[in-house]
Amino acid sequence: KVESRFEQNQSLFSVMQMEKWIIYLILSIILIIAAFNMVGALTMLILEKQKDIAVLKALGANNGFIQNVFLNEGFLLAGIGGSIGMFIAFLVCFVQQRFKLLKLEGGSFVVDYYPVRMHAIDFLLVGCTVFLVAVLAAWVPAKKAATRNFSLKS
């Protein structure tokens, strides 16, 4: 029976595929936990900018405008962090592909190094996950900033 390399080592490849999804799930949970830091940072920013929000409302800014200001701040934080993270991931994968730094011990594997392939769909999935978590994390503080009434008096 003639089998391809994938058919010969189907268990290895299926374990690696499962590992990919489990790592994605674990890192998504870490991202959600990190989103609490973003919520805290935006909340602190709102507390620092109470007088500025009051001035904007006195000048005629509506709640939607105030909410968009803080949503954009959250998107900026998530965008910069996500871009830097994906760039570092790209570099790590490129270095592994080029120089094969992570070796597999044992000698019974098809390859002697940890195989890495970059797919655009993976980067797109991570980008969408970062965007979704950023929307959820920035929405609550932005909504509170828009609906609270701040006073110019100290």
Side-chain angles (χ1 to χ4, degrees):
K1 181 178 179 183
V2 177
E3 293 181 332
S4 69
R5 195 172 215 166
F6 180 77
E7 292 170 339
Q8 290 174 351
N9 298 301
Q10 188 174 6
S11 61
L12 174 67
F13 289 114
S14 63
V15 165
M16 288 180 150
Q17 187 67 22
M18 183 62 73
E19 177 185 22
K20 174 182 165 183
W21 287 109
I22 290 173
I23 293 294
Y24 170 74
L25 181 67
I26 291 169
L27 292 177
S28 294
I29 292 169
I30 291 171
L31 181 64
I32 291 169
I33 292 169
F36 287 111
N37 190 19
M38 191 168 94
V39 170
L42 287 173
T43 303
M44 292 303 294
L45 182 67
I46 290 166
L47 292 175
E48 290 175 3
K49 301 295 182 185
Q50 286 181 2
K51 289 187 179 182
D52 297 330
I53 294 169
V55 167
L56 285 172
K57 284 191 175 186
L59 290 173
N62 60 5
N63 288 345
F65 178 78
I66 303 294
Q67 185 174 348
N68 283 337
V69 167
F70 290 101
L71 275 175
N72 288 334
E73 178 75 21
F75 292 153
L76 184 66
L77 285 171
I80 291 171
S83 298
I84 290 171
M86 284 195 279
F87 179 72
I88 291 171
F90 175 82
L91 283 179
V92 168
C93 289
F94 179 77
V95 167
Q96 175 62 18
Q97 285 177 338
R98 183 91 171 162
F99 302 109
K100 300 170 179 45
L101 297 177
L102 288 174
K103 306 276 187 211
L104 292 176
E105 301 295 326
S108 63
F109 296 109
V110 176
V111 292
D112 58 346
Y113 61 93
Y114 191 82
V116 175
R117 279 196 341 208
M118 290 185 276
H119 299 282
I121 193 76
D122 293 337
F123 284 94
L124 183 64
L125 178 65
V126 169
C128 289
T129 304
V130 167
F131 179 75
L132 180 67
V133 170
V135 167
L136 295 174
W139 182 262
V140 174
K143 190 71 173 166
K144 281 188 177 183
T147 57
R148 277 187 64 191
N149 289 326
F150 296 108
S151 174
L152 288 172
K153 297 179 187 178
S154 296

